[in-house]
Amino acid sequence: MTIAPAPAVIAPGSDCTAAFRAAYDNRYTWDPGFGGYSGRCVWEQGDQRAEGRFQVGADLKAQVEGIDTEEIHKAVASQLWEVAIHRVRRSFEQTHGENTFTAGDTDAVGTEVIVGGKNAGDRYRIKDDVVTMVHRHIHGTVVTIFTESTTDTGRGYLSRSYTSQYADPATGAARGGLSRFTDTFVPLAGDGPWVLSERVVESEAFGDTPAGRQVFRFEDLQPLG
């Protein structure tokens, strides 16, 4: 099946569902038969370091062992869970069936996609079948993510470098400092599902919270079963 490329510029005010669907379907997701994987996890921040073992099951639940510091244990497990939850394959209809999509302006980041319906108030930008910006309301806050570079798996793209900022939905005031992520993905066993091997998180200072840099590494990666 051949999918015609989206036009370079979509007229503002027009229905851009097809173009947004093409970008949505171009995201890399795991096959439904994903069986899970395991390996060694390493966390570093400044001169601090912790190491343990982890497992992500077929149910996408992450288990981390060998890291006793609760805050670090939680941080490592959180990264694994966050990556796994974004690899779940859900059809466009399942995720966005109750939404409408209208084109806004087009800038260097991409064409704005204005959401109506169930998730009214959310916005995206798309460019070359990639979702380059996400602006979503989640649990009483707004998160805005800009994707700056991607990894091409041959079966869809993964975000490689991106920024994330939380804000107050009413005032737009920042809630926390800007975070910059750099992700490295590798295919399990050479051609298996692509999984995270390293994530670097650099956070800007905000209020009483100083700037920080955390490195999460996942090594000796093996499929389960």
Side-chain angles (χ1 to χ4, degrees):
M1 178 175 143
T2 302
I3 299 174
V9 177
I10 303 170
S14 64
D15 183 321
C16 60
T17 302
F20 184 63
R21 179 197 289 261
Y24 179 90
D25 289 341
N26 191 33
R27 300 169 310 120
Y28 175 78
T29 53
W30 287 331
D31 291 335
F34 172 76
Y37 67 106
S38 64
R40 186 171 75 243
C41 49
V42 178
W43 172 89
E44 293 176 341
Q45 185 175 39
D47 56 3
Q48 295 179 278
R49 188 178 191 277
E51 184 177 320
R53 301 286 305 177
F54 79 92
Q55 177 176 303
V56 175
D59 58 2
L60 305 185
K61 291 183 178 176
Q63 295 180 327
V64 177
E65 298 175 345
I67 297 179
D68 298 328
T69 305
E70 184 178 353
E71 189 176 350
I72 300 172
H73 181 282
K74 186 177 179 180
V76 173
S78 174
Q79 304 306 320
L80 289 166
W81 176 83
E82 189 176 298
V83 169
I85 210 71
H86 283 97
R87 299 291 84 78
V88 176
R89 186 168 300 173
R90 299 181 76 221
S91 71
F92 186 79
E93 287 74 18
Q94 282 177 296
T95 304
H96 290 297
E98 297 178 58
N99 293 329
T100 61
F101 304 96
T102 305
D105 67 344
T106 297
D107 62 13
V109 177
T111 299
E112 183 181 34
V113 177
I114 302 166
V115 181
K118 182 181 179 183
N119 299 116
D122 290 357
R123 292 182 289 112
Y124 299 87
R125 284 190 185 270
I126 55 174
K127 185 177 183 179
D128 300 329
D129 288 346
V130 170
V131 179
T132 52
M133 189 276 286
V134 175
H135 180 86
R136 289 186 60 203
H137 293 71
I138 304 174
H139 306 310
T141 192
V142 171
V143 62
T144 304
I145 299 166
F146 285 94
T147 295
E148 298 170 344
S149 68
T150 60
T151 297
D152 181 6
T153 70
R155 290 180 292 163
Y157 76 89
L158 288 159
S159 296
R160 170 161 173 75
S161 59
Y162 51 100
T163 61
S164 175
Q165 175 74 67
Y166 289 91
D168 183 289
T171 66
R175 289 180 174 171
L178 181 79
S179 293
R180 181 175 297 279
F181 295 77
T182 305
D183 289 353
T184 303
F185 290 90
V186 296
L188 271 182
D191 61 353
W194 287 67
V195 297
L196 186 70
S197 65
E198 183 182 79
R199 168 170 285 175
V200 180
V201 185
E202 297 170 285
S203 302
E204 293 181 356
F206 184 85
D208 296 330
T209 305
R213 183 180 189 271
Q214 296 183 78
V215 180
F216 300 87
R217 290 205 305 275
F218 303 98
E219 305 168 341
D220 298 338
L221 301 170
Q222 300 291 332
L224 294 177

